[in-house]
């Protein structure tokens, strides 16, 4: 690239597509978690739950000192609210969803798609 050439700015569509695909991965992980732990609802319900979980995590996690713990409890509360489960079963859904997200993201990394995340599934 010549020294005077500027890289093309990243447009909205360049950010929106990876986020949408990543959200689908998070939704798939949550769907797998509910399938294993409780009566699974439809995939669209899981994707919307992943979006709510990602928003709660994004708001609470930056809080100093206790942000991570507050975000995790709030994320499990979102699962509890959306799936009408108790605290322990909601936490179980979260654990299975995290494992599923890590496996899916690792598999995608192996085939050369490594820029994705799983919003709605903390730590994945």
């Amino acid at each position: 690239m010549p020294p005077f050439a500027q890289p093309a700015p990243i447009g909205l569509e360049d950010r929106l597509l990876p986020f949408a695909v990543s959200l689908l991965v998070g939704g798939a992980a949550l769907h797998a978690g509910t399938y294993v732990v409780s009566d699974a609802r439809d995939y669209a319900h899981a994707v919307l739950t992943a979006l709510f979980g990602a928003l709660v995590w994004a708001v609470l996690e930056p809080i100093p000192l206790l942000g991570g713990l507050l975000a995790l409890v709030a994320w499990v509360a979102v699962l509890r609210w959306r799936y009408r489960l108790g605290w322990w079963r909601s936490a179980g859904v979260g654990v299975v969803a995290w494992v599923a997200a890590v496996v899916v993201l690792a598999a995608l990394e192996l085939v050369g798609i490594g820029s994705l995340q799983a919003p709605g599934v903390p730590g994945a």
Side-chain angles (χ1 to χ4, degrees), residues 2-102:
F4 55 85
Q6 295 288 328
I10 297 176
L12 179 61
E13 63 277 352
D14 294 331
R15 294 182 197 153
L16 193 56
L17 182 61
F19 176 76
V21 173
S22 294
L23 188 60
L24 294 176
V25 171
L30 282 175
H31 187 64
T34 57
Y35 184 79
V36 170
V37 175
S38 70
D39 297 330
R41 296 198 182 196
D42 63 353
Y43 177 66
H45 187 84
V47 172
L48 191 57
T49 303
L51 181 61
F52 288 149
L55 291 172
V56 165
W57 189 269
V59 168
L60 294 177
E61 200 273 332
I63 295 173
L65 298 177
L66 296 176
L69 180 62
L70 289 173
L72 185 61
V73 170
W75 180 73
V76 173
V78 167
L79 297 180
R80 183 175 186 265
W81 164 61
R82 294 284 293 161
Y83 290 105
R84 300 182 190 274
L85 300 171
W87 285 101
W88 289 110
R89 291 183 78 193
S90 297
V93 168
V95 169
V96 173
W98 179 81
V99 170
V102 168

